[in-house]
């Protein structure tokens, strides 16, 4: 079947986006290929279409995010394409069913977490499968210079040894030239490999940086003067709720989202936002991966991301439909110091790292010499409580221990409850079960198709509503059916894990090398400073500086960022001296003082010039500043 016919049949598109077909043809000709495609560029099409174009065989997709893995597998199933996944959160029966489909050639795609590749037995089983393409999604994770380096990604090279003739497609939305070269080296790209880079320019997005003394008010102010769907990104779970409640009380439809919410709540809120029932989602960076909403008109950042890579990805969720959109970063005078302090907190002292390693091993009851390649459930909150550790302190230590190869902390993943009926349909007429269990079973059969063929996600709350039974009764009914071997019931759970790749060592022998500590600190420092430069330096076009960071030269300024706009706004016939006089007269009307934000708003579109005038008055002693309130001095006010 022709590539366009496959694209039309399964995805409904009439044609490919830029570079998609080039990448597809490259991997189908057997070339190792690197695809650098910005957020919203359609990366998944570049491996899903060739996966269906091969007359037979399997496409393996390595991805670090279980949630994204689930979304893609579910999306493929809805299109009539059989895909399976293998990750640490699956039951033994689910894993067995997945392997049966792979061995029997029924699945076209296998999504796998990089941690699975550590297991030699697992790699040996993969050796027997007819693999046609290996895909490495979020490929920047394999580079030690990437912003999200994961040691488990280094094991992908072992997968290449298992299938040495199979082409590899590495995909990422954000990579500097150094990271791109490192990806190709670490994946052992062969001679004749190809690299395709889509421009990082998003001409329909206006990138704006706005000084703010009261961010929650400015978020409301901006959203009330713009239209369409939006996202507000913050860096703490508490802030998501506070801002969402403030916006709702102020008349803007909003809700909040973070990793600590239940699976059902996250799914419900995401669906409401996707459908337009909720206009604005206030969220941590847990929100966004795998979300394909084309009509997001504005992405606001109340807090700084730690790197331009992350900012570009998150801001790039605006305007995927190609229409005019905005990416706004709110900046206060304290943000610069906050970002630098967070960097230092990410690198605790080596002695503290060794101490956390010893605590974790004790918590898991691992003796010296035990634990080799073991995956264990890990109650992170109880661990911190037991040893009186701050959450961020423990996470920072775990991150460095992971990079040094001592243990991997796998963030908690939540899975919905799942059910698989194990008896034949005829046997259901003769089951011996309580009336509540029978009512629950009949309701499931009506609501959820496919229960006899595969695990199906269920919602106990919905079953409770439709059966008129309370949730506790529904839960007990499902346990009864499970006990009678009528079905397999896997209750919802949230489970963090620790994977121990090597046997436990005495903490004094734990080595956090220079490449893990000092060199990584230097790399992250450079990222932080690049983010600070983007936000605080207003001497040149912001987009041009961001593109230069990613190794792309822009022929001319964007004309739409706040720096470019200010140049257009600032008229030559209004001098700085004239503006100083205007600001001085304006401040005379407010003897108790005003904020710089209010002043600048009242001098739009000459706000930047007004800010410069205010700074001059302070420097020359004509005005004073007290806790961000500016007022004229007694002398100048007379």
């Amino acid at each position: 079947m022709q590539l366009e016919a496959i694209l039309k049949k399964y995805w409904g598109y009439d044609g490919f986006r830029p570079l998609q077909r080039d990448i597809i043809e490259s991997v189908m000709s057997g070339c190792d290929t690197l695809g650098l495609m910005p957020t919203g560029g359609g990366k998944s099409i570049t491996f899903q279409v060739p996966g269906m174009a091969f007359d037979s065989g399997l496409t393996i997709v390595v991805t670090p995010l279980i949630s994204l893995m689930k979304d893609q597998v579910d999306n493929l199933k809805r299109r009539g394409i059989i895909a399976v996944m293998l990750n640490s959160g699956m039951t033994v029966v689910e894993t067995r069913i997945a392997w049966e489909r792979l061995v029997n050639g029924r699945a076209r795609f296998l999504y796998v977490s990089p941690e699975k590749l550590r297991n030699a037995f697992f790699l040996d089983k993969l050796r027997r499968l007819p693999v046609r393409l290996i895909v490495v999604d979020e490929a920047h994770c394999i580079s030690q210079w990437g912003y999200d380096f994961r040691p488990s990604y280094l094991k992908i090279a072992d997968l290449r040894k298992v299938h040495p003739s199979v082409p590899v497609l590495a995909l990422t939305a954000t990579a500097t030239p150094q990271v791109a070269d490192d990806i190709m080296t670490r994946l052992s790209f062969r001679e004749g490999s190809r690299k395709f880079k889509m421009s990082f320019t998003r001409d329909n997005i206006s990138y704006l940086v706005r000084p703010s003394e009261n961010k929650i008010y400015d978020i409301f102010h901006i959203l009330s003067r713009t239209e369409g769907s939006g996202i507000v990104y913050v860096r703490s779970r508490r802030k998501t709720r506070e801002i969402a409640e403030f916006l709702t009380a102020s008349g803007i439809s909003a809700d909040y989202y973070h990793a600590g919410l239940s699976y059902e709540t996250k799914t419900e809120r995401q669906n409401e936002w996707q459908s337009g029932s909720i206009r604005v989602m206030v969220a941590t960076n847990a929100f966004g991966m795998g979300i394909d909403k084309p009509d997001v008109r504005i992405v606001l950042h109340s807090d700084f991301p730690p790197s331009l890579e992350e900012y570009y990805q998150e801001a790039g969720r605006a305007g995927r439909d190609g229409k005019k959109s905005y990416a706004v970063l709110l900046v206060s005078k304290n943000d610069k110091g906050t970002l630098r302090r967070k960097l230092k907190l990410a690198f605790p002292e080596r002695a503290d790292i060794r101490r956390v390693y010893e605590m974790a091993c004790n918590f898991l009851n691992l003796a010296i010499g035990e634990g080799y390649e073991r995956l264990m459930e890990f109650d992170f909150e109880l661990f911190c409580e037991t040893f009186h550790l701050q959450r961020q302190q423990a996470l920072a230590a775990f991150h460095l221990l992971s990079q040094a190869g001592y243990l991997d902390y796998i963030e908690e993943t939540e899975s919905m409850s799942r059910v698989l009926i194990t008896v034949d349909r005829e046997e259901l007429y003769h089951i011996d079960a309580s009336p509540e269990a029978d009512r629950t079973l009949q309701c499931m059969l009506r609501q959820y198709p496919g229960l006899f063929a595969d695990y199906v996600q269920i919602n106990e709350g919905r079953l409770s509503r439709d059966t008129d039974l309370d949730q506790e009764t529904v839960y007990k009914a499902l346990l009864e059916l499970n006990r009678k071997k009528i079905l397999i019931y896997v209750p919802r759970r949230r489970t963090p894990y620790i994977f121990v790749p090597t046997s436990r060592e005495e903490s004094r022998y734990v080595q956090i090398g220079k490449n893990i500590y000092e060199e990584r600190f230097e790399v992250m420092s450079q990222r932080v400073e690049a983010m600070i430069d983007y936000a605080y330096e207003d001497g040149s076009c912001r987009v041009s500086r961001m593109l230069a960071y990613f190794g792309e030269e822009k022929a001319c300024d964007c004309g739409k960022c706040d720096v470019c706009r200010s140049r257009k706004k600032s008229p030559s016939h209004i001098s700085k001296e004239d503006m100083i006089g205007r600001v001085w007269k304006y401040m005379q009307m407010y003897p108790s003082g005003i904020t710089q934000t209010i002043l600048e708003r009242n001098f739009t579109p000459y706000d930047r010039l007004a800010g410069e005038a205010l700074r001059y008055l302070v420097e020359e002693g004509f005005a004073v500043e007290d806790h961000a309130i500016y007022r004229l001095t007694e002398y100048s006010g007379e």
Side-chain angles (χ1 to χ4, degrees):
M1 188 182 294
Q2 293 289 330
L3 295 176
E4 280 78 7
I6 293 173
L7 183 68
K8 181 67 176 178
K9 177 181 178 181
Y10 293 105
W11 287 273
Y13 300 131
D14 294 319
F16 291 102
R17 295 183 188 178
L19 287 191
Q20 283 181 332
R21 189 183 180 95
D22 297 322
I23 293 173
I24 291 169
E25 290 177 343
S26 176
V27 297
M28 293 195 71
S29 67
C31 294
D32 292 335
T33 306
L34 173 62
L36 303 173
M37 305 177 71
T39 300
K43 289 186 296 177
S44 60
I45 290 292
T46 64
F47 61 84
Q48 290 175 350
V49 167
M52 295 304 295
F54 291 125
D55 52 5
S56 63
L58 182 71
T59 295
I60 297 179
V61 185
V62 184
T63 181
L65 299 169
I66 294 178
S67 58
L68 186 58
M69 189 186 299
K70 289 177 179 176
D71 288 342
Q72 293 215 8
V73 169
D74 290 341
N75 286 334
L76 287 170
K77 286 181 178 179
R78 282 194 289 269
R79 301 179 193 281
I81 300 171
I82 297 179
V84 299
M85 60 182 177
L86 292 169
N87 60 63
S88 55
M90 295 170 61
T91 66
V92 173
V93 177
E94 287 175 307
T95 302
R96 176 175 55 77
I97 292 173
W99 274 113
E100 287 175 355
R101 290 183 173 173
L102 292 169
V103 171
N104 294 329
R106 293 175 55 204
R108 300 301 296 268
F109 295 90
L110 166 60
Y111 283 78
V112 62
S113 58
E115 290 78 17
K116 299 289 286 185
L117 302 178
R118 293 179 183 271
N119 189 293
F121 177 68
F122 179 79
L123 287 173
D124 187 57
K125 292 178 74 173
L126 288 182
R127 190 189 308 274
R128 304 169 197 170
L129 298 178
V131 178
R132 300 293 300 274
L133 176 63
I134 297 170
V135 180
V136 183
D137 199 9
E138 307 297 334
H140 57 270
C141 295
I142 202 172
S143 171
Q144 194 165 349
W145 314 118
Y147 76 91
D148 194 21
F149 170 61
R150 303 190 182 204
S152 56
Y153 256 59
L154 298 176
K155 288 295 180 181
I156 299 174
D158 293 340
L159 183 56
R160 291 226 65 171
K161 296 173 186 176
V162 172
H163 291 285
S165 62
V166 174
V168 168
L169 171 59
L171 296 167
T172 181
T174 49
T176 62
Q178 182 187 25
V179 170
D181 291 340
D182 199 29
I183 290 171
M184 299 172 75
T185 299
R186 291 185 178 273
L187 288 174
S188 303
F189 269 33
R190 300 166 297 182
E191 187 176 349
S193 63
R194 305 182 70 186
K195 178 170 72 174
F196 296 92
K197 180 178 179 180
M198 187 181 291
S199 173
F200 285 88
T201 303
R202 296 284 300 279
D203 288 331
N204 63 310
I205 299 180
S206 296
Y207 290 89
L208 310 173
V209 174
R210 179 165 182 166
S212 176
E213 296 171 6
N214 188 334
K215 290 190 177 183
I216 196 167
Y217 173 79
D218 284 330
I219 290 168
F220 164 73
H221 179 80
I222 292 168
L223 290 172
S224 63
R225 283 159 177 76
T226 54
E227 296 180 351
S229 182
I231 306 173
V232 177
Y233 278 114
V234 296
R235 306 301 288 186
S236 79
R237 297 178 180 183
R238 176 182 55 81
K239 284 185 180 180
T240 63
R241 182 169 191 161
E242 290 177 354
I243 296 174
E245 290 178 348
F246 176 82
L247 292 175
T248 301
S250 303
I252 293 176
S253 171
D255 214 329
Y256 63 95
Y257 185 108
H258 56 70
L261 299 174
S262 70
Y263 184 94
E264 289 86 355
T265 300
K266 287 189 287 188
T267 301
E268 179 183 1
R269 291 182 183 179
Q270 179 176 322
N271 290 340
E272 288 179 344
W273 179 77
Q274 292 259 168
S275 67
S277 300
I278 295 172
R279 181 191 166 200
V280 177
M281 188 64 75
V282 186
T284 62
N285 61 354
F287 184 74
M289 292 301 291
I291 291 175
D292 188 16
K293 184 172 171 62
D295 59 344
V296 178
R297 297 276 71 88
I298 184 166
V299 174
L300 266 160
H301 276 79
S302 177
D303 296 329
F304 271 41
S307 70
L308 272 175
E309 287 96 332
E310 288 171 81
Y311 180 68
Y312 179 81
Q313 272 205 344
E314 292 167 8
R317 291 175 185 133
R320 292 189 178 185
D321 55 5
K323 296 181 180 178
K324 186 176 181 181
S325 306
Y326 298 91
V328 183
L329 175 64
L330 297 179
V331 177
S332 75
K333 60 183 179 181
N334 297 323
D335 287 334
K336 187 186 302 185
T338 299
L339 199 57
R340 288 172 175 153
R341 281 193 299 275
K342 285 183 177 179
L343 172 63
K344 291 182 180 179
L345 291 173
F347 288 83
E349 295 295 328
R350 281 185 168 90
D352 293 332
I353 298 171
R354 295 188 183 99
R355 189 166 59 91
V356 170
Y357 173 76
E358 184 174 18
M359 291 173 178
C361 291
N362 291 339
F363 188 76
L364 293 167
N365 293 317
L366 288 178
I368 301 295
E370 291 184 350
Y372 178 71
E373 289 196 347
R374 285 183 60 183
L375 181 72
M376 292 163 282
E377 292 188 9
F378 186 77
D379 190 330
F380 178 73
E381 300 301 332
L382 180 60
F383 169 73
C384 292
E385 181 182 331
T386 301
F387 293 101
H388 308 290
L389 292 171
Q390 292 183 353
R391 194 173 194 276
Q392 292 304 316
Q393 175 190 11
L395 286 174
F398 281 153
H399 183 68
L400 292 168
L401 287 166
S402 171
Q403 304 220 342
Y406 289 100
L407 57 81
D408 280 345
Y409 172 66
I410 303 169
E411 291 271 11
E412 63 182 33
T413 57
E414 183 173 11
S415 57
M416 282 189 69
S417 302
R418 309 186 294 281
V419 163
L420 169 68
I421 294 180
T422 55
V423 299
D424 296 333
R425 290 181 182 275
E426 291 74 18
E427 294 180 68
L428 292 180
Y429 295 105
H430 309 290
I431 65 170
D432 178 23
S434 66
E436 293 80 10
D438 185 64
R439 193 191 310 181
T440 301
L441 177 60
Q442 296 304 320
C443 184
M444 279 195 299
L445 290 170
R446 290 193 302 270
Q447 287 184 358
Y448 301 104
L451 286 165
F452 293 89
D454 199 354
Y455 278 90
V456 175
Q457 294 179 341
I458 65 166
N459 185 322
E460 289 92 335
R462 181 181 172 188
L463 288 172
S464 171
R465 185 186 67 235
D466 293 348
T467 57
D468 201 26
L469 299 170
D470 60 70
Q471 285 203 40
E472 182 65 23
T473 302
V474 168
Y475 177 68
K476 289 180 178 179
L478 290 166
L479 291 178
E480 177 187 342
L481 293 168
N482 185 85
R483 192 167 55 251
K484 293 178 179 293
K485 301 189 184 306
I486 295 164
L487 51 76
I488 299 175
Y489 170 51
V490 182
R492 181 186 70 201
R493 63 176 184 169
R494 300 178 66 170
T495 313
Y497 295 92
I498 275 189
F499 177 78
V500 186
T502 61
S503 302
R504 177 180 176 178
E505 297 189 22
E506 291 187 41
S507 59
R508 57 180 171 166
Y509 296 130
V510 171
Q511 298 295 318
I512 309 296
K514 183 178 179 181
N515 63 321
I516 299 297
Y517 201 90
E518 284 82 4
E519 291 180 8
R520 286 291 295 171
F521 181 82
E522 180 61 28
V523 169
M524 292 180 70
S525 296
Q526 291 171 8
R527 287 202 183 92
V528 165
E529 294 306 317
M531 189 70 228
I532 289 172
D533 174 77
Y534 171 84
Y536 287 93
E537 174 55 51
D538 55 9
S540 61
C541 170
R542 297 197 195 277
V543 174
S544 294
R545 278 184 284 135
M546 183 160 53
L547 293 178
Y549 178 81
F550 291 116
E552 182 177 335
E553 295 299 325
K554 189 169 178 63
C556 57
D557 292 346
C558 74
K560 296 188 293 294
C561 72
D562 58 295
V563 174
C564 292
R565 288 182 175 194
S566 68
R567 291 171 181 167
K568 294 178 182 178
K569 287 180 183 178
S570 298
S572 58
H573 61 275
I574 297 183
S575 66
K576 183 176 180 179
E577 290 73 18
D578 187 12
M579 181 57 73
I580 291 170
R582 295 186 186 194
V583 168
W584 182 76
K585 289 180 181 178
Y586 180 80
M587 292 179 69
Q588 280 187 312
M589 297 187 293
Y590 298 93
S592 60
I594 58 171
T595 67
Q596 181 174 344
T597 301
I598 292 174
L599 173 72
E600 290 177 348
R601 284 200 191 114
N602 281 275
F603 280 89
T604 303
Y606 313 123
D607 46 355
R608 187 172 297 275
L609 199 56
E612 292 176 3
L614 178 63
R615 285 192 291 275
Y616 172 83
L617 290 172
V618 171
E619 290 168 359
E620 295 299 319
F622 296 106
V624 294
E625 183 241 341
D626 182 23
H627 294 90
I629 301 297
Y630 294 85
R631 59 179 178 79
L632 295 174
T633 60
E634 292 183 13
Y635 172 77
S636 65
E638 292 177 352

